[in-house]
Amino acid sequence: LAKDLGVDLAAVVPTGPGGVITRDDVHAAAEPRPAPGEAAPAAAPAFEPFPAPEGGGVRESPAVEPQSLAAIRERRVPVRGVRKATAQAMVDSAFTAPHVTEFVTVDITRTVRLVERLKSDPDMAGLRVNPLLLVARALLVALRRNPEANAAWDEERQEIVYKDYVNLGIAAATPRGLLVPNIKDAHAKTLPELSRALGELIATAREGRTSPADMRGGTVTITNIGVFGIDTGTPILNPGESAILAFGAIKDQPWVHKGKVKPRKVTTLALSFDHRLIDGELGSRLLGDVAAVLEHPKKLITWT
């Protein structure tokens, strides 16, 4: 082996028992050694050098710790304004009100057809008519049939406050963050009035003109997650409110209709509610009534 590697055995330092030269000793002697006064080769850098700047030149590669590399690829933004207020409100709600969420999948083909007919109705001329409008009306009808669900919990006085009005909140995604303005006295509005109020509320929110007064005093809220193509979710209550209804995406699905499988317009509704105020039976009735109206919109007449 020493002959093959060109090693002079006289220069090998034995490390084996009794001064025996081992294979590792021969390999160690074969490794090149720096000449006197010559520095040992530097260890490989821990990280690849930074690329040279455009236009040539040499850029030194500083010694960078792993956490510093992460910081280069991260941004930190102070939490303030709407984002801070929303975050605090969601934490307060999540850890104060015991949430329960129930779901129902429903055929809303008739409601979708009614929306199309209403678009050509003279009484709705110039107004925005969409499924959200009829979901809002369905929730208002359901609350009229289940008034105990329209309430608030007063922790300080240890009282349940039942409300004979509905300030209907609409969750709106805006450049400032999530806002939940509400339509005051939505229960007393006709369908054209509700459509006008809904359109103004959303436009004002998107333009950043929503005032604090617009977001106070809500009783229940609708969040339209279907516009993002989402089927359902478990929404968190707006603080001080009893319930929030998530309206999922409307999709064509095979559905048993009049004994036959047909393509129908189907959506999923999710209702989160404060279990201190609304027990399972009441919550189920409320959600069931919303679904019933959307499946058979003629109940907008027979139930009101």
Side-chain angles (χ1 to χ4, degrees):
L1 177 62
K3 183 178 179 180
D4 293 338
L5 296 176
V7 174
D8 184 1
L9 289 176
V12 177
V13 178
T15 62
V20 175
I21 297 176
T22 66
R23 180 181 293 272
D24 290 339
D25 296 334
V26 176
H27 281 289
E31 292 180 358
R33 297 181 181 180
E38 181 182 344
F47 304 97
E48 290 295 325
F50 287 88
E54 295 183 6
V58 178
R59 180 175 181 179
E60 294 293 333
S61 175
V64 182
E65 296 295 329
Q67 58 268 29
S68 299
L69 284 179
I72 292 173
R73 298 185 297 171
E74 298 175 349
R75 293 179 297 114
R76 291 178 176 268
V77 179
V79 180
R80 57 169 66 100
V82 172
R83 175 60 60 189
K84 185 173 183 178
T86 300
Q88 187 59 54
M90 292 299 97
V91 170
D92 291 344
S93 176
F95 293 98
T96 300
H99 284 58
V100 173
T101 305
E102 294 185 344
F103 308 89
V104 63
T105 301
V106 58
D107 173 8
I108 64 167
T109 305
R110 294 182 180 90
T111 286
V112 173
R113 291 172 181 168
L114 178 57
V115 167
E116 294 306 313
R117 289 197 295 270
L118 287 172
K119 288 180 179 179
S120 59
D121 191 301
D123 291 333
M124 304 299 289
L127 299 175
R128 185 175 181 180
V129 181
N130 55 24
L132 178 60
L133 172 62
L134 293 189
V135 170
R137 174 61 78 188
L139 179 56
L140 292 170
V141 170
L143 286 169
R144 181 179 297 179
R145 287 170 54 84
N146 302 276
E148 301 89 352
N150 189 35
W153 184 273
D154 189 330
E155 181 66 28
E156 183 178 353
R157 297 185 179 183
Q158 287 294 291
E159 295 176 343
I160 296 176
V161 182
Y162 292 102
K163 301 181 179 182
D164 297 327
Y165 61 92
V166 180
N167 290 344
L168 181 62
I170 303 294
T174 75
R176 297 168 57 195
L178 177 67
L179 298 178
V180 190
N182 59 76
I183 300 172
K184 303 295 191 285
D185 292 324
H187 67 287
K189 296 186 181 299
T190 64
L191 193 64
E193 290 171 342
L194 185 63
S195 176
R196 185 175 294 105
L198 187 59
E200 292 173 353
L201 178 148
I202 293 175
T204 299
R206 290 176 177 172
E207 294 168 4
R209 297 187 290 109
T210 301
S211 69
D214 294 332
M215 295 186 286
R216 284 197 292 263
T219 57
V220 296
T221 287
I222 296 175
T223 176
N224 185 10
I225 58 176
V227 295
F228 304 109
I230 304 302
D231 294 330
T232 189
T234 54
I236 296 178
L237 294 168
N238 204 34
E241 298 184 6
S242 61
I244 178 170
L245 179 72
F247 174 33
I250 302 172
K251 297 182 177 180
D252 290 323
Q253 293 187 19
W255 197 263
V256 178
H257 177 68
K258 296 182 179 179
K260 296 181 180 180
V261 177
K262 299 179 180 180
R264 305 287 286 180
K265 300 291 185 182
V266 176
T267 190
T268 298
L269 306 172
L271 181 73
S272 291
F273 51 87
D274 185 340
H275 216 334
R276 297 173 301 179
L277 299 165
I278 303 174
D279 59 22
E281 179 187 3
L282 178 57
S284 298
R285 289 205 313 265
L286 179 65
L287 181 58
D289 282 354
V290 174
V293 171
L294 294 176
E295 185 172 7
H296 300 284
K298 65 181 181 181
K299 292 184 184 297
L300 291 171
I301 300 173
T302 59
W303 283 3
T304 57

